[in-house]
């Protein structure tokens, strides 16, 4: 079975020359390893928007700090720490040391896509949680970030927020198209 990253690249052409980065340095800066499928997506596409819906965060995005992975992780940590004083955390975060790390957000809605991280869990086993942007609701998906992205783009996902294919033909616009 093809990987979700290769399925995405079949739907949407990628950069002519994928950007290679020093992932060890990125992971050291963040203090955590990252899933391999995310690293492939970031190298192949960089920061930008899939199907006018999903904005992929990128390490070191110097075009827009709101798309810089490290900046958004710090910002979301602060926002969620405040919110969880006012509303309950999702039950998936009840385990000691469990946390969420953002990897994308949705255009217009304010939804954030997070990895659900448990201590000792390999990054390639992290799954996706979606937080509705303007409310306390969370969805859990036992999918990697690329599996989630592909399923949402094609309409093959069980979600309150995504009920059909997002675009035809599918597209990706890099952040450089917007500056």
């Amino acid at each position: 079975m093809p990987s979700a990253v290769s399925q995405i690249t079949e739907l949407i052409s990628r950069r002519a020359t994928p950007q290679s980065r020093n992932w060890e340095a990125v992971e050291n800066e963040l203090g955590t390893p990252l899933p391999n499928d995310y690293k492939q997506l970031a190298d192949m596409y960089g920061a930008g928007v899939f199907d006018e819906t999903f904005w992929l965060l990128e390490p070191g995005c110097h075009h827009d700090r709101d798309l810089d992975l490290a900046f958004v992780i710090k910002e979301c940590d602060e926002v969620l720490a405040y919110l969880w004083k006012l509303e309950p955390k999702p039950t998936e975060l009840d385990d000691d040391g469990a946390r969420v790390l953002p990897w994308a957000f949705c255009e217009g809605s304010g939804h954030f896509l997070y990895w659900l991280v448990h201590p000792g869990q390999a990054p390639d086993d992290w799954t996706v949680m979606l937080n509705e942007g303007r409310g306390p609701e969370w969805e859990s998906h036992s999918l990697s970030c690329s599996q989630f992205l592909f399923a949402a783009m094609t309409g093959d996902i069980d979600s309150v927020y995504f009920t059909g294919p997002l675009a035809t033909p599918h597209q990706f616009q890099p952040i450089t198209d917007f500056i």
Side-chain angles (χ1 to χ4, degrees):
M1 179 176 176
S3 74
V5 174
S6 65
Q7 290 175 312
I8 292 168
T9 60
E10 287 177 21
L11 290 178
I12 303 170
S13 61
R14 57 184 173 86
R15 291 180 180 174
T17 305
Q19 178 182 349
S20 180
R21 65 188 85 231
N22 181 341
W23 283 106
E24 185 177 345
V26 168
E27 292 169 333
N28 285 337
E29 176 190 351
L30 296 174
T32 185
L34 296 169
N36 286 312
D37 68 327
Y38 167 78
K39 293 188 267 190
Q40 292 170 357
L41 284 172
D43 284 348
M44 288 185 192
Y45 295 100
V49 62
F50 288 90
D51 286 354
E52 298 180 348
T53 303
F54 296 104
W55 284 93
L56 183 67
L57 304 177
E58 174 184 33
C61 180
H62 59 276
H63 299 292
D64 185 336
R65 75 178 188 164
D66 290 334
L67 294 174
D68 179 74
L69 184 64
F71 175 80
V72 176
I73 286 173
K74 183 179 184 297
E75 186 176 66
C76 285
D77 282 349
E78 292 171 2
V79 168
L80 291 174
Y82 173 76
L83 283 176
W84 288 333
K85 291 177 184 176
L86 306 173
E87 60 190 45
K89 284 184 183 182
T91 57
E92 293 87 348
L93 296 172
D94 286 346
D95 295 340
D96 283 340
R99 67 183 289 212
V100 290
L101 293 172
W103 60 271
F105 64 89
C106 297
E107 175 69 29
S109 66
H111 303 330
F112 261 88
L113 299 169
Y114 294 91
W115 290 295
L116 174 58
V117 179
H118 290 279
Q121 184 181 38
D124 288 339
D125 294 332
W126 295 352
T127 59
V128 172
M129 290 187 72
L130 179 147
N131 175 235
E132 71 172 323
R134 296 174 179 90
E137 299 302 317
W138 289 78
E139 281 186 355
S140 292
H141 298 273
S142 294
L143 302 167
S144 71
C145 64
S146 63
Q147 290 169 332
F148 178 91
L149 182 59
F150 180 76
M153 288 169 56
T154 60
D156 191 25
I157 194 163
D158 183 18
S159 172
V160 171
Y161 304 103
F162 306 104
T163 57
L166 296 181
T168 305
H170 297 284
Q171 60 185 322
F172 177 80
Q173 292 178 272
I175 186 60
T176 53
D177 285 0
F178 299 94
I179 44 180

